[in-house]
Amino acid sequence: MNYSQALNYLNSFIDYEKLSSYNYSDAFKLDRVERLLERLGNPHRKSNFIHIAGSKGKGSTAAFLHSILKNSGLKTGLYTSPHLLSRHERIRTSVKGEEERCITDGELAFLLEEIRPALDALTEETGPFTPSETSSPTGFTFFEVFTALSFLYFKQRKVEVAVLEVGMGGRLDATNVVHPLVSVLTPISYDHTDKLGKTLSSIAAEKAEILKPEAAAVTAV
């Protein structure tokens, strides 16, 4: 699979970042992500993670932590969304004294080819994405595929700790399959109220689902 073919394959998955109207609880399923990762050898269990959710400042917090960890001498990964110019910006690695690097065209194509058999097999079992008013969508999403790809990349690059920024919410976000060393909640405010709830309590409850037993938690007022 060359890079052009890889992009075409990646773009075949539904991208909710480009849609405004959908049922949040129906669209995202963590068990779907977990089944894919199991077929890939559970790469998300081979690295250490710091997991960040919140309404404001989570991207900046992720960047700060990535820099701190890198300059502490650790081989560090960073997974963020959305991207500004290229999807490659979402998956980065850094080592002290070296320039930060994004995943390359060739690496992206190689990893997509590696995970495609598992994706195709699971899609055949569950059915592709089919928008319907009467049933929940079952197919993989772009974000789920890219998140799984990032876990595999961090494992293959032998990253010592990776910083993960939640895409939206927390409870059903594809990144929420990890058991992190530290969970971080940045300030909570009214965001995605049509998906996460109309009150600060309901929004905070969605984001607080990244907190895990026996993992440190850091929260901001």
Side-chain angles (χ1 to χ4, degrees):
M1 185 186 297
N2 60 34
Y3 180 62
S4 178
Q5 292 169 328
L7 278 186
N8 288 335
Y9 182 65
L10 192 58
N11 289 333
S12 71
F13 297 98
I14 185 69
D15 188 352
Y16 284 108
E17 294 175 17
K18 298 179 180 179
L19 300 177
S20 57
S21 179
Y22 57 87
N23 187 304
Y24 170 68
S25 293
D26 284 345
F28 308 118
K29 304 292 182 184
L30 287 187
D31 63 335
R32 188 167 58 208
V33 183
E34 289 169 339
R35 289 199 305 273
L36 172 59
L37 291 170
E38 185 175 9
R39 295 204 180 200
L40 299 176
N42 291 313
H44 61 307
R45 297 178 185 170
K46 307 297 193 298
S47 298
N48 298 307
F49 297 99
I50 296 177
H51 201 192
I52 304 172
S55 303
K56 296 180 178 179
K58 59 189 171 81
S60 299
T61 301
F64 293 152
L65 286 170
H66 183 234
S67 179
I68 290 168
L69 292 164
K70 174 191 72 175
N71 285 290
S72 297
L74 294 170
K75 188 168 188 178
T76 310
L78 177 64
Y79 181 60
T80 59
S81 60
H83 56 271
L84 295 177
L85 300 175
S86 167
R87 291 185 175 93
H88 299 65
E89 300 166 21
R90 297 179 180 229
I91 303 175
R92 286 171 271 178
T93 57
S94 291
V95 180
K96 186 176 182 179
E98 297 181 11
E99 187 175 348
E100 181 179 271
R101 71 189 300 274
C102 300
I103 189 171
T104 66
D105 291 357
E107 289 169 334
L108 187 64
F110 176 83
L111 287 174
L112 273 175
E113 187 166 22
E114 189 167 335
I115 70 176
R116 182 168 186 168
L119 278 168
D120 289 348
L122 288 169
T123 298
E124 187 174 344
E125 289 177 14
T126 61
F129 173 81
T130 50
S132 170
E133 295 181 359
T134 59
S135 63
S136 301
T138 56
F140 286 95
T141 71
F142 164 82
F143 189 74
E144 290 169 349
V145 173
F146 219 75
T147 300
L149 189 148
S150 75
F151 292 145
L152 199 59
Y153 183 69
F154 291 148
K155 174 191 170 186
Q156 293 185 356
R157 294 279 298 167
K158 295 182 171 57
V159 162
E160 293 172 273
V161 61
V163 180
L164 304 178
E165 178 191 7
V166 164
M168 182 178 69
R171 177 173 64 94
L172 297 177
D173 193 80
T175 61
N176 201 30
V177 295
V178 302
H179 194 104
L181 297 174
V182 184
S183 299
V184 180
L185 291 178
T186 67
I188 307 297
S189 62
Y190 292 99
D191 69 315
H192 300 291
T193 54
D194 59 324
K195 310 292 190 306
L196 306 180
K198 305 294 185 184
T199 67
L200 286 179
S201 294
S202 61
I203 294 169
E206 288 285 338
K207 296 178 187 293
E209 286 289 330
I210 72 162
L211 304 179
K212 300 291 173 33
E214 300 181 7
V218 179
T219 67
V221 177

